[in-house]
């Protein structure tokens, strides 16, 4: 009978290392393009944490992009995805609070952001 003087902890660590090494060897490797995906849709949230509205942009099987917003389905240019889905600042035209009948441009935060890609 051989008495193994190593602690149980040392034995467990050694076994875990062996398992880890064998798992790493078994993992397949793929070329970088394997991990590239083709974007076919984006869900957007407009509003705040307390309330808001969801709509989406999606590509149909014929390659055309569409905006789906409740009952409205409109053509969409995917070149506009950045400006339509990533928040930031934009300008809006509002009634001038100082002069009735006059309009002014005001910079404000965009109320919408991409939620899922």
């Amino acid at each position: 009978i051989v008495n193994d003087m190593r602690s149980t902890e040392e034995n467990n660590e050694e076994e875990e290392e062996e398992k880890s090494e064998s798992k790493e060897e078994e993992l397949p490797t793929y070329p970088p393009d394997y991990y590239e995906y083709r974007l076919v849709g984006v869900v957007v949230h407009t509003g705040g944490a307390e309330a808001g509205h969801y709509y989406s942009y999606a590509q149909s099987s014929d390659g055309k992009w569409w905006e789906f917003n409740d009952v409205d389905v409109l053509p969409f240019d995917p070149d506009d995805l950045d400006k339509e889905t990533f928040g930031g600042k934009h300008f809006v035209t509002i009634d001038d609070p100082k002069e009735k009948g006059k309009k002014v441009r005001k910079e404000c935060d965009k109320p919408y952001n991409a939620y899922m890609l």
Side-chain angles (χ1 to χ4, degrees), residues 74-88:
L74 304 168
F76 179 73
D77 183 350
D79 289 338
D80 293 337
L81 271 173
D82 284 355
K83 71 179 183 181
E84 295 295 334
T85 59
F86 290 116

Side-chain angles (χ1 to χ4, degrees), residues 23-60:
K23 282 183 183 177
E24 287 177 18
E25 293 169 10
E26 294 172 14
L27 294 176
T29 57
Y30 298 102
D33 63 344
Y34 173 84
Y35 299 99
E36 292 180 13
Y37 294 86
R38 188 173 59 87
L39 182 67
V40 295
V42 178
V43 176
V44 179
H45 179 261
T46 184
E50 69 287 343
H53 176 72
Y54 290 92
Y55 57 97
S56 65
Y57 300 109
Q59 186 179 38
S60 57

Side-chain angles (χ1 to χ4, degrees), residues 92-105:
V92 295
T93 302
I94 61 170
D95 292 327
D96 188 338
K98 297 176 185 173
E99 191 174 328
K100 189 173 177 144
K102 187 178 177 186
K103 302 280 186 184
V104 293
R105 286 178 46 92

